[in-house]
Amino acid sequence: QSALTQPRSVSGSPGQSVTVSCTGSGSDVGGYNYVSWHQQHPGKAPKLIIYDVSKRPSGVPDRFSGSRSGNTASLTISGLQAEDEADYYCCSYAGSYTMVFGGGTKLTVL
Amino acid sequence: QLQLQESGPGLVKPSETLSLTCTVSGGSISSSSYYWGWIRQPPGKSLEWIGNIFYTGSTYYNPSLKSRVTIAVDTSRNQFSLRLSSVTAADTAVYYCASNRRDYIWGSYTPPRTFDYWGQGALVTVSS
């Protein structure tokens, strides 16, 4: 069970859109509709922002969206705001009731 | 809304057993709508899934930790727990407990697939 692959960092200016990728395999990301994304600010617990590839929990702004193509899932943040600066982690079901996280991506708002 | 809170020793000696408890409030741990899970994060590193449990006692572990991990549930106290044996410095991390939603979709229950409510985390340091 290998960690999902995410870019170490991405950046964007306020108002722009950024996309964070999460690459796995057919045994996890590509095999199930169970990819989630979590936002983590420094010193804080992670917060769920996307689940089941593209669903948003109540209270999460629609600036956050998720998608998947093959074995790669993506998180897109549009209308970037300063408060979006955080670490982002993808997570996928990996079969046999196991789960796997990505390595995390640091988003910098320029 | 569910609230989860980790508790336990913040310092554990090498080769000993790390023990943490997660207390759930705002809902019943015996609910069929949730699995309950543990995740850890070494300082400056990524999240790592440790395992999940259902209120019936069914457990699901990360294969890389399975030989050292035990997760148990205490429905009378609305708590679940984590034990990690034979710890080393590599087990130093913030340990989070979280709920993992379970839905009935297309005629079957979903497996544990997303952590929706998290505890604040508990730093456990392994050192002599």
Side-chain angles (χ1 to χ4, degrees):
Chain A
Q1 189 184 56
S2 300
L4 307 176
T5 300
Q6 297 182 233
R8 291 186 66 94
S9 64
V10 297
S11 62
S13 299
Q16 288 186 334
S17 293
V18 295
T19 296
V20 181
S21 62
C22 170
T23 301
S25 70
S27 298
D28 38 60
V29 172
Y32 308 93
N33 294 324
Y34 298 147
V35 177
S36 58
W37 290 90
H38 296 83
Q39 177 192 61
Q40 186 180 35
H41 288 107
K44 300 294 186 182
K47 173 190 173 185
L48 177 67
I49 56 173
I50 295 288
Y51 69 101
D52 291 356
V53 177
S54 60
K55 298 178 182 176
R56 272 189 315 276
S58 174
V60 174
D62 59 6
R63 303 186 295 104
F64 294 89
S65 63
S67 62
R68 182 190 59 192
S69 177
N71 297 333
T72 297
S74 298
L75 170 71
T76 298
I77 309 171
S78 59
L80 206 56
Q81 299 181 2
E83 67 211 49
D84 299 332
E85 183 162 297
D87 293 328
Y88 291 84
Y89 293 92
C90 61
C91 178
S92 177
Y93 178 65
S96 301
Y97 281 62
T98 65
M99 303 175 72
V100 61
F101 281 97
T105 299
K106 181 177 179 58
L107 168 62
T108 300
V109 180
L110 302 171
Chain B
Q1 178 172 320
L2 289 174
Q3 293 185 324
L4 298 94
Q5 177 69 58
E6 305 88 353
S7 59
L11 181 64
V12 181
K13 289 182 169 55
S15 80
E16 295 190 345
T17 296
L18 177 160
S19 296
L20 292 172
T21 298
C22 182
T23 301
V24 178
S25 58
S28 172
I29 203 167
S30 300
S31 169
S32 61
S33 297
Y34 286 98
Y35 303 93
W36 307 96
W38 288 97
I39 306 99
R40 70 180 183 178
Q41 185 173 37
K45 296 188 178 181
S46 176
L47 300 167
E48 179 180 31
W49 173 68
I50 299 173
N52 294 316
I53 190 166
F54 192 51
Y55 79 94
T56 57
S58 295
T59 51
Y60 319 98
Y61 298 136
N62 185 325
S64 68
L65 297 170
K66 186 174 183 177
S67 64
R68 298 194 292 130
V69 172
T70 302
I71 298 176
V73 63
D74 185 341
T75 55
S76 66
R77 294 175 181 260
N78 228 37
Q79 296 176 333
F80 63 106
S81 62
L82 169 69
R83 288 172 59 86
L84 181 66
S85 64
S86 304
V87 297
T88 69
D91 295 310
T92 293
V94 175
Y95 286 77
Y96 294 100
C97 61
S99 60
N100 196 319
R101 59 191 298 153
R102 181 175 183 258
D103 297 312
Y104 192 74
I105 300 175
W106 297 108
S108 64
Y109 283 101
T110 57
R113 73 203 200 274
T114 189
F115 294 106
D116 44 4
Y117 295 102
W118 294 67
Q120 65 183 27
L123 174 62
V124 179
T125 301
V126 178
S127 175
S128 56

